[in-house]
Amino acid sequence: MSDTQLHTAENGVRIAFRQTAGQGPMLVFLPGYMSDMAGGKATALFDWARAQGRAALLLDYSGCGESDGDFADGTLSGWRDEVLELIHHYGGKHKALLIGSSMGGWLNLMVGEKLGARLAGLVGIASAPDFTEWGRSEADKAKLAAGETVYDPNPYGPEPTPMHASFWADGQANRLLDRTIEIDAPVRLLHGQGDADVPWEISLRLAAALRSDNVQTLFIKDGDHRLSRDADIAQLIKTCAQLCAEIETALLKD
């Protein structure tokens, strides 16, 4: 992409990102597992934000997309820290509205807890917190615990999808659904009921675990995991626009 920039992180890895200036809150899109900022949802949201004069930030985690690094070295904790670093470097005085897809919907919770008062809100798209637990068989867990890599069929490409032992172990150490998730900001959860990868019931568990009382879930009966059809993306943008308006109204009252 012509406006992609590179940020050299504290660990020396160069992280690819795109940003557009504008009014806040700053929209920050967190892609899913083995995905990147060139995806349809991220691009559409960024283009909408730029057209509306809203601040937005896209990024590729290390080992993904245009960023440096090896995917095999990636962990949720490491990617969380990269997201936080970019928000602190490029977010100015804006609060952050985190939008996470699938694994990104786990990561935005981890980032959100760390942001504290700087978190404006969250949007989850087929959020997949704790998928290293509920998404793996006991046989897989035994292999991963022994240091093996497990490969899954990939419905979106020709190569199988790997899960590396280090990623799995870090995920298990960062499970959220069996404790109170310490986020008080407004949260909106979108989930397709035809999702073959992340059961829609996970969003119900997530809504219950969040400390915030301002949580709404929207189930799309014929929606799949990606929620990337034109109508799905339109719903995502509508949700973000409404949440931005709510956040800005609350700030004016303060």
Side-chain angles (χ1 to χ4, degrees), residues 137-160:
S137 67
E138 292 305 315
D140 284 348
K141 292 176 192 176
K143 291 178 181 178
L144 290 158
E148 296 182 39
T149 298
V150 172
Y151 293 89
D152 298 314
N154 180 7
Y156 309 115
E159 299 296 327

Side-chain angles (χ1 to χ4, degrees), residues 56 75 91-92 103 136 146 172 189 193 199:
T75 63
M103 183 201 73
R136 305 270 30 142
Q172 290 296 85
L189 302 173
Q193 289 187 286

Side-chain angles (χ1 to χ4, degrees), residues 30-33 76 99-110 123-136 163 167 171-172 174-177 181 189-191 195-207 225:
L30 305 182
Y33 191 74
L76 287 164
I99 303 105
S101 178
S102 192
M103 183 201 73
W106 184 355
L107 200 57
N108 71 359
L109 299 165
M110 295 172 61
V123 177
I125 310 158
S127 294
D130 300 10
F131 71 83
T132 51
E133 176 62 27
W134 53 257
R136 305 270 30 142
M163 178 172 286
F167 177 92
Q172 290 296 85
N174 283 286
R175 286 175 289 176
L176 299 175
L177 292 177
I181 301 172
L189 302 173
L190 309 178
H191 213 130
D195 191 333
D197 299 308
V198 181
W200 56 266
E201 290 88 353
I202 293 296
S203 281
L204 294 179
R205 290 182 62 191
L206 173 54
H225 179 61

Side-chain angles (χ1 to χ4, degrees), residues 53-133:
R54 292 195 168 277
L57 174 70
L58 306 181
L59 72 148
D60 289 339
Y61 315 127
S62 57
C64 301
E66 298 181 70
S67 291
D68 293 346
D70 188 337
F71 181 78
D73 297 328
T75 63
L76 287 164
S77 294
W79 293 337
R80 174 201 62 200
D81 293 345
E82 292 169 5
V83 174
L84 287 166
E85 186 173 337
L86 262 69
I87 289 173
H88 291 316
H89 271 79
Y90 302 104
K93 296 181 179 179
H94 292 305
K95 290 190 173 186
L97 173 56
L98 306 176
I99 303 105
S101 178
S102 192
M103 183 201 73
W106 184 355
L107 200 57
N108 71 359
L109 299 165
M110 295 172 61
V111 172
E113 284 194 318
K114 291 291 187 182
L115 282 176
R118 194 170 181 184
L119 177 66
L122 286 174
V123 177
I125 310 158
S127 294
D130 300 10
F131 71 83
T132 51
E133 176 62 27

